[in-house]
PDB file of all heavy atoms in Angstrom:
ATOM      1  N   CYS A 248     -12.532   8.396  -1.540  1.00 96.00           N
ATOM      2  CA  CYS A 248     -11.183   7.928  -1.343  1.00 96.00           C
ATOM      3  C   CYS A 248     -10.271   8.498  -2.391  1.00 96.00           C
ATOM      4  O   CYS A 248     -10.806   9.208  -3.325  1.00 96.00           O
ATOM      5  CB  CYS A 248     -11.120   6.307  -1.497  1.00 96.00           C
ATOM      6  SG  CYS A 248     -11.426   5.800  -3.286  1.00 96.00           S
ATOM      7  N   ASN A 249      -8.971   8.387  -2.277  1.00 97.00           N
ATOM      8  CA  ASN A 249      -8.077   8.832  -3.200  1.00 97.00           C
ATOM      9  C   ASN A 249      -7.041   7.904  -3.682  1.00 97.00           C
ATOM     10  O   ASN A 249      -6.107   8.101  -4.379  1.00 97.00           O
ATOM     11  CB  ASN A 249      -7.242  10.166  -2.808  1.00 97.00           C
ATOM     12  CG  ASN A 249      -6.646  10.009  -1.427  1.00 97.00           C
ATOM     13  OD1 ASN A 249      -6.161   8.815  -1.113  1.00 97.00           O
ATOM     14  ND2 ASN A 249      -6.464  11.048  -0.767  1.00 97.00           N
ATOM     15  N   GLU A 250      -7.228   6.641  -3.096  1.00 97.00           N
ATOM     16  CA  GLU A 250      -6.202   5.564  -3.624  1.00 97.00           C
ATOM     17  C   GLU A 250      -6.183   5.202  -5.070  1.00 97.00           C
ATOM     18  O   GLU A 250      -5.122   4.966  -5.581  1.00 97.00           O
ATOM     19  CB  GLU A 250      -6.571   4.273  -2.789  1.00 97.00           C
ATOM     20  CG  GLU A 250      -6.187   4.155  -1.457  1.00 97.00           C
ATOM     21  CD  GLU A 250      -7.215   4.972  -0.473  1.00 97.00           C
ATOM     22  OE1 GLU A 250      -8.129   5.465  -0.898  1.00 97.00           O
ATOM     23  OE2 GLU A 250      -6.861   5.022   0.758  1.00 97.00           O
ATOM     24  N   HIS A 251      -7.328   5.477  -5.760  1.00 98.00           N
ATOM     25  CA  HIS A 251      -7.296   5.238  -7.270  1.00 98.00           C
ATOM     26  C   HIS A 251      -6.377   6.245  -7.966  1.00 98.00           C
ATOM     27  O   HIS A 251      -5.754   6.124  -8.918  1.00 98.00           O
ATOM     28  CB  HIS A 251      -8.672   5.126  -7.745  1.00 98.00           C
ATOM     29  CG  HIS A 251      -9.556   6.348  -7.436  1.00 98.00           C
ATOM     30  ND1 HIS A 251      -9.770   6.786  -6.181  1.00 98.00           N
ATOM     31  CD2 HIS A 251     -10.273   7.213  -8.356  1.00 98.00           C
ATOM     32  CE1 HIS A 251     -10.571   7.810  -6.320  1.00 98.00           C
ATOM     33  NE2 HIS A 251     -10.839   8.148  -7.550  1.00 98.00           N
ATOM     34  N   TYR A 252      -6.368   7.459  -7.414  1.00 98.00           N
ATOM     35  CA  TYR A 252      -5.517   8.581  -7.961  1.00 98.00           C
ATOM     36  C   TYR A 252      -4.001   8.161  -7.598  1.00 98.00           C
ATOM     37  O   TYR A 252      -3.086   8.581  -8.415  1.00 98.00           O
ATOM     38  CB  TYR A 252      -5.951   9.988  -7.299  1.00 98.00           C
ATOM     39  CG  TYR A 252      -4.997  11.005  -7.752  1.00 98.00           C
ATOM     40  CD1 TYR A 252      -5.022  11.435  -9.106  1.00 98.00           C
ATOM     41  CD2 TYR A 252      -4.204  11.709  -6.853  1.00 98.00           C
ATOM     42  CE1 TYR A 252      -4.162  12.507  -9.454  1.00 98.00           C
ATOM     43  CE2 TYR A 252      -3.332  12.656  -7.294  1.00 98.00           C
ATOM     44  CZ  TYR A 252      -3.377  13.108  -8.537  1.00 98.00           C
ATOM     45  OH  TYR A 252      -2.524  14.091  -8.918  1.00 98.00           O
ATOM     46  N   LEU A 253      -3.733   7.708  -6.402  1.00 98.00           N
ATOM     47  CA  LEU A 253      -2.421   7.213  -6.084  1.00 98.00           C
ATOM     48  C   LEU A 253      -1.969   6.295  -7.013  1.00 98.00           C
ATOM     49  O   LEU A 253      -0.815   6.432  -7.426  1.00 98.00           O
ATOM     50  CB  LEU A 253      -2.363   6.846  -4.540  1.00 98.00           C
ATOM     51  CG  LEU A 253      -1.065   6.058  -4.110  1.00 98.00           C
ATOM     52  CD1 LEU A 253       0.036   7.176  -4.230  1.00 98.00           C
ATOM     53  CD2 LEU A 253      -1.333   5.640  -2.725  1.00 98.00           C
ATOM     54  N   VAL A 254      -2.680   5.248  -7.394  1.00 98.00           N
ATOM     55  CA  VAL A 254      -2.433   4.256  -8.300  1.00 98.00           C
ATOM     56  C   VAL A 254      -1.973   4.911  -9.626  1.00 98.00           C
ATOM     57  O   VAL A 254      -0.998   4.521 -10.296  1.00 98.00           O
ATOM     58  CB  VAL A 254      -3.609   3.255  -8.434  1.00 98.00           C
ATOM     59  CG1 VAL A 254      -3.330   2.439  -9.787  1.00 98.00           C
ATOM     60  CG2 VAL A 254      -3.596   2.343  -7.291  1.00 98.00           C
ATOM     61  N   HIS A 255      -2.784   5.897 -10.008  1.00 98.00           N
ATOM     62  CA  HIS A 255      -2.602   6.558 -11.333  1.00 98.00           C
ATOM     63  C   HIS A 255      -1.175   7.270 -11.275  1.00 98.00           C
ATOM     64  O   HIS A 255      -0.531   7.162 -12.410  1.00 98.00           O
ATOM     65  CB  HIS A 255      -3.664   7.596 -11.477  1.00 98.00           C
ATOM     66  CG  HIS A 255      -3.550   8.488 -12.709  1.00 98.00           C
ATOM     67  ND1 HIS A 255      -3.647   7.890 -14.110  1.00 98.00           N
ATOM     68  CD2 HIS A 255      -3.289   9.738 -12.902  1.00 98.00           C
ATOM     69  CE1 HIS A 255      -3.517   8.966 -14.981  1.00 98.00           C
ATOM     70  NE2 HIS A 255      -3.274  10.033 -14.161  1.00 98.00           N
ATOM     71  N   ILE A 256      -0.926   7.944 -10.301  1.00 98.00           N
ATOM     72  CA  ILE A 256       0.346   8.773 -10.370  1.00 98.00           C
ATOM     73  C   ILE A 256       1.550   7.920 -10.019  1.00 98.00           C
ATOM     74  O   ILE A 256       2.721   8.278 -10.450  1.00 98.00           O
ATOM     75  CB  ILE A 256       0.275  10.048  -9.386  1.00 98.00           C
ATOM     76  CG1 ILE A 256       0.052   9.724  -7.986  1.00 98.00           C
ATOM     77  CG2 ILE A 256      -0.881  11.019  -9.926  1.00 98.00           C
ATOM     78  CD1 ILE A 256      -0.001  10.870  -6.995  1.00 98.00           C
ATOM     79  N   MET A 257       1.459   6.891  -9.210  1.00 98.00           N
ATOM     80  CA  MET A 257       2.524   6.001  -8.741  1.00 98.00           C
ATOM     81  C   MET A 257       3.260   5.426  -9.955  1.00 98.00           C
ATOM     82  O   MET A 257       4.345   5.329  -9.899  1.00 98.00           O
ATOM     83  CB  MET A 257       2.003   4.944  -7.798  1.00 98.00           C
ATOM     84  CG  MET A 257       3.008   4.118  -7.212  1.00 98.00           C
ATOM     85  SD  MET A 257       2.252   2.795  -6.051  1.00 98.00           S
ATOM     86  CE  MET A 257       1.583   3.776  -4.748  1.00 98.00           C
ATOM     87  N   ARG A 258       2.478   4.918 -10.984  1.00 98.00           N
ATOM     88  CA  ARG A 258       3.056   4.262 -12.040  1.00 98.00           C
ATOM     89  C   ARG A 258       4.185   4.987 -12.759  1.00 98.00           C
ATOM     90  O   ARG A 258       5.152   4.361 -13.344  1.00 98.00           O
ATOM     91  CB  ARG A 258       2.026   3.806 -13.094  1.00 98.00           C
ATOM     92  CG  ARG A 258       0.981   2.912 -12.641  1.00 98.00           C
ATOM     93  CD  ARG A 258       0.050   2.451 -13.729  1.00 98.00           C
ATOM     94  NE  ARG A 258      -1.156   1.629 -13.305  1.00 98.00           N
ATOM     95  CZ  ARG A 258      -2.306   2.154 -13.249  1.00 98.00           C
ATOM     96  NH1 ARG A 258      -2.565   3.407 -13.561  1.00 98.00           N
ATOM     97  NH2 ARG A 258      -3.287   1.427 -12.806  1.00 98.00           N
ATOM     98  N   ASP A 259       4.079   6.322 -12.772  1.00 97.00           N
ATOM     99  CA  ASP A 259       5.154   7.180 -13.484  1.00 97.00           C
ATOM    100  C   ASP A 259       6.183   7.665 -12.520  1.00 97.00           C
ATOM    101  O   ASP A 259       7.001   8.573 -12.994  1.00 97.00           O
ATOM    102  CB  ASP A 259       4.507   8.265 -14.334  1.00 97.00           C
ATOM    103  CG  ASP A 259       3.600   7.791 -15.513  1.00 97.00           C
ATOM    104  OD1 ASP A 259       4.117   6.725 -16.007  1.00 97.00           O
ATOM    105  OD2 ASP A 259       2.503   8.371 -15.722  1.00 97.00           O
ATOM    106  N   HIS A 260       6.179   7.324 -11.325  1.00 98.00           N
ATOM    107  CA  HIS A 260       7.002   7.917 -10.419  1.00 98.00           C
ATOM    108  C   HIS A 260       8.264   7.076 -10.168  1.00 98.00           C
ATOM    109  O   HIS A 260       8.269   5.843 -10.462  1.00 98.00           O
ATOM    110  CB  HIS A 260       6.399   7.919  -8.867  1.00 98.00           C
ATOM    111  CG  HIS A 260       7.065   8.817  -7.908  1.00 98.00           C
ATOM    112  ND1 HIS A 260       8.162   8.467  -7.187  1.00 98.00           N
ATOM    113  CD2 HIS A 260       6.775  10.095  -7.575  1.00 98.00           C
ATOM    114  CE1 HIS A 260       8.595   9.511  -6.474  1.00 98.00           C
ATOM    115  NE2 HIS A 260       7.736  10.450  -6.669  1.00 98.00           N
ATOM    116  N   PRO A 261       9.448   7.765 -10.035  1.00 98.00           N
ATOM    117  CA  PRO A 261      10.762   7.006 -10.169  1.00 98.00           C
ATOM    118  C   PRO A 261      10.927   6.071  -8.822  1.00 98.00           C
ATOM    119  O   PRO A 261      11.690   5.098  -9.004  1.00 98.00           O
ATOM    120  CB  PRO A 261      11.836   8.168  -9.924  1.00 98.00           C
ATOM    121  CG  PRO A 261      10.938   9.323  -9.476  1.00 98.00           C
ATOM    122  CD  PRO A 261       9.715   9.241 -10.009  1.00 98.00           C
ATOM    123  N   ASP A 262       9.992   6.177  -7.962  1.00 98.00           N
ATOM    124  CA  ASP A 262      10.194   5.170  -6.706  1.00 98.00           C
ATOM    125  C   ASP A 262       9.316   3.962  -7.003  1.00 98.00           C
ATOM    126  O   ASP A 262       9.303   3.049  -6.164  1.00 98.00           O
ATOM    127  CB  ASP A 262       9.796   5.980  -5.522  1.00 98.00           C
ATOM    128  CG  ASP A 262      10.713   7.000  -4.944  1.00 98.00           C
ATOM    129  OD1 ASP A 262      11.871   6.940  -5.510  1.00 98.00           O
ATOM    130  OD2 ASP A 262      10.184   7.858  -4.208  1.00 98.00           O
ATOM    131  N   PHE A 263       8.502   3.978  -7.966  1.00 98.00           N
ATOM    132  CA  PHE A 263       7.589   2.793  -8.195  1.00 98.00           C
ATOM    133  C   PHE A 263       8.522   1.603  -8.659  1.00 98.00           C
ATOM    134  O   PHE A 263       9.421   1.594  -9.455  1.00 98.00           O
ATOM    135  CB  PHE A 263       6.646   3.238  -9.458  1.00 98.00           C
ATOM    136  CG  PHE A 263       5.798   2.028  -9.828  1.00 98.00           C
ATOM    137  CD1 PHE A 263       4.909   1.523  -8.890  1.00 98.00           C
ATOM    138  CD2 PHE A 263       5.786   1.665 -11.216  1.00 98.00           C
ATOM    139  CE1 PHE A 263       3.952   0.471  -9.237  1.00 98.00           C
ATOM    140  CE2 PHE A 263       4.852   0.665 -11.593  1.00 98.00           C
ATOM    141  CZ  PHE A 263       3.938   0.113 -10.639  1.00 98.00           C
ATOM    142  N   ILE A 264       8.046   0.412  -8.194  1.00 98.00           N
ATOM    143  CA  ILE A 264       8.843  -0.886  -8.340  1.00 98.00           C
ATOM    144  C   ILE A 264       8.000  -1.667  -9.363  1.00 98.00           C
ATOM    145  O   ILE A 264       7.022  -2.403  -8.873  1.00 98.00           O
ATOM    146  CB  ILE A 264       9.091  -1.604  -6.979  1.00 98.00           C
ATOM    147  CG1 ILE A 264       9.884  -0.727  -6.061  1.00 98.00           C
ATOM    148  CG2 ILE A 264       9.921  -2.818  -7.400  1.00 98.00           C
ATOM    149  CD1 ILE A 264      10.251  -1.430  -4.766  1.00 98.00           C
ATOM    150  N   LYS A 265       8.089  -1.458 -10.484  1.00 98.00           N
ATOM    151  CA  LYS A 265       7.245  -2.125 -11.604  1.00 98.00           C
ATOM    152  C   LYS A 265       7.203  -3.543 -11.464  1.00 98.00           C
ATOM    153  O   LYS A 265       6.157  -4.114 -11.736  1.00 98.00           O
ATOM    154  CB  LYS A 265       7.766  -1.532 -12.964  1.00 98.00           C
ATOM    155  CG  LYS A 265       6.835  -2.104 -14.032  1.00 98.00           C
ATOM    156  CD  LYS A 265       7.248  -1.429 -15.409  1.00 98.00           C
ATOM    157  CE  LYS A 265       6.311  -1.776 -16.577  1.00 98.00           C
ATOM    158  NZ  LYS A 265       6.763  -1.223 -17.872  1.00 98.00           N
TER     159      LYS A 265
END
Side-chain angles (χ1 to χ4, degrees):
C248 72
N249 57 25
E250 281 80 3
H251 54 306
Y252 176 68
L253 175 58
V254 165
H255 175 69
I256 62 174
M257 188 182 289
R258 298 187 186 102
D259 293 325
H260 196 276
D262 294 338
F263 179 55
I264 306 176
K265 187 175 181 180

